Amino acid sequence: MRMLVLLFALLGLAQAQTVEEARLMRAELTMPEVRAAFQGLERDFAHDWQRTTSTDEATRLARETGRRLWLGARARLQQLADYDDRPLYWSRLALSRTVRDTAPGFAISPAQRAAALAALELASRGQDELQFAARGAQKRVLITGFDPFLLERNLNQSNPSGVAALWLDGRELILDGQHIRIEAAVFPVRYADFDAGTVERFLRPWLGQIDLLATISMGRQDFDLERFPGRRRSANVVDNQDLLPGASRQDPQPPKLDGQPLNGPEFVEFSLPVAAMQRAQGPYRIADNRWVRVLPDTRLEAPSLDALAGQIAVEGGGGGYLSNEISYRAVRLRDELGLRQLPVGHIHTPAIAAFEPDKTRDIVAQIEAMLRAALQPG
């Protein structure tokens, strides 16, 4: 069902150029070095796409190219240590534009085009190439980041959470003789994708197979570990399609899942090992953030989840935007699957202005230190 919802969402997007893709020309003019990173891959894909002869071939090409982009962006960032997630974001859009606007070598229907777009999306976000060894051989850590956002304000924006995903994806650590592998994926900053169940569809098969899940996004001045995610959207902030959530702090609204309002408690509580993670060294403070907003628009610091009983969520600790929402959906799914002891929660990073590689390097290093601390025995 959720895959059908996603396909219908992408079917709508497949009809015309998206707002995100419309920014590509400006990006090519203002950030030529960023756009040059994977233009060879983009040209090869455009050439091969026009020669596909069937739905299966088109979808397979989209998936394989998306995977090449993800792995290439990961290798590039790790080898250059430039802490730049922008080439991945903009090249994904260029590939999507080719699928959307270019005729393949056969008469493709809107649904077939949407299927190729879905395959490209998932693969280029690292969502279909997680490679963990057997549970007994290693601890499994899954982290997620986000695309750059606020691009309507600053086209040059980067996102430390996406950088962390690329930097740490595939990383293997040894702590006290225990082998640990980190796998990562990146999510879009689009309300429609969340309503279509992209978070649940990705996480559901993995939550029972991993040892820790940390969703990560760009936040405020320091690090915040968001203790109490809230159910509702309320931020008057556009997504990367320049769409508003249709909600406000005076009228917070639940997001959707399978076409219906997302069911669940107004607040949930994360399960990350806070005290251990707060010991991670770095330049930024790490807060156990218990501040939320409830109706009527009131900010309060909750001592416990029980203290929030009967309240209507306006903002969780992570606000009323998609940062809070991915955290809520992950914890809600943890509880639905009966995995309350699994460490699951959200890390809000310090914010950066546009592209700040030195600051991002420090942020990513402290994220890695937090993950190490969370996995230390005792």
Side-chain angles (χ1 to χ4, degrees), residues 110-297:
Q112 291 168 328
R113 203 180 293 269
L117 280 169
L120 174 62
E121 275 281 311
L122 296 180
S124 65
R125 296 183 177 282
Q127 293 188 21
D128 71 349
E129 63 86 41
L130 275 62
Q131 297 180 11
F132 289 115
R135 285 293 293 276
Q138 61 181 208
K139 281 187 174 293
R140 300 171 166 188
V141 175
L142 178 57
I143 66 172
T144 67
F146 275 102
D147 286 346
F149 67 111
L150 301 176
L151 298 165
E152 77 286 356
R153 304 179 191 175
N154 191 342
L155 203 66
N156 199 33
Q157 186 66 52
S158 175
N159 191 328
S161 70
V163 176
L166 288 168
W167 181 258
L168 294 171
D169 185 47
R171 189 66 55 92
E172 296 195 352
L173 313 174
I174 299 178
L175 295 177
D176 295 334
Q178 173 69 62
H179 290 257
I180 297 160
R181 183 173 177 89
I182 302 172
E183 290 285 338
V186 170
F187 280 90
V189 183
R190 297 191 297 249
Y191 294 117
D193 292 69
F194 275 58
D195 286 341
T198 185
V199 174
E200 290 82 0
R201 186 175 55 258
F202 172 64
L203 292 180
R204 185 177 292 276
W206 287 108
L207 281 188
Q209 308 296 321
I210 59 177
D211 298 287
L212 184 145
L213 168 65
T215 57
I216 308 172
S217 65
M218 184 173 72
R220 308 176 184 98
Q221 183 175 350
D222 290 293
F223 280 104
D224 287 301
L225 304 179
E226 307 295 3
R227 182 171 287 273
F228 299 121
R231 175 178 173 233
R232 296 170 187 261
R233 294 173 181 167
S234 60
N236 187 30
V237 181
V238 298
D239 66 5
N240 278 349
Q241 286 290 95
D242 285 356
L243 297 175
L244 287 166
S248 67
R249 280 169 36 182
Q250 292 69 44
D251 183 28
Q253 294 293 319
K256 293 182 179 180
L257 180 63
D258 292 340
Q260 301 296 321
L262 181 65
N263 288 322
E266 290 294 312
F267 291 97
V268 293
E269 184 172 6
F270 80 166
S271 47
L272 293 177
V274 177
M277 295 175 75
Q278 287 181 305
R279 292 195 290 269
Q281 297 298 303
Y284 299 102
R285 187 175 68 93
I286 303 170
D288 177 3
N289 184 29
R290 297 168 176 263
W291 287 94
V292 300
R293 284 187 182 272
V294 299
L295 280 180
D297 190 8

Side-chain angles (χ1 to χ4, degrees), residues 335-349:
D335 294 347
E336 178 186 312
L337 296 175
L339 300 168
R340 291 179 180 270
Q341 300 308 308
L342 176 66
V344 175
H346 193 74
I347 300 171
H348 245 143
T349 78

Side-chain angles (χ1 to χ4, degrees), residues 13 15 92 120 127 234 267 324 330 363:
L13 291 176
Q15 304 306 310
R92 181 192 301 117
L120 174 62
Q127 293 188 21
S234 60
F267 291 97
N324 168 79
I363 291 169

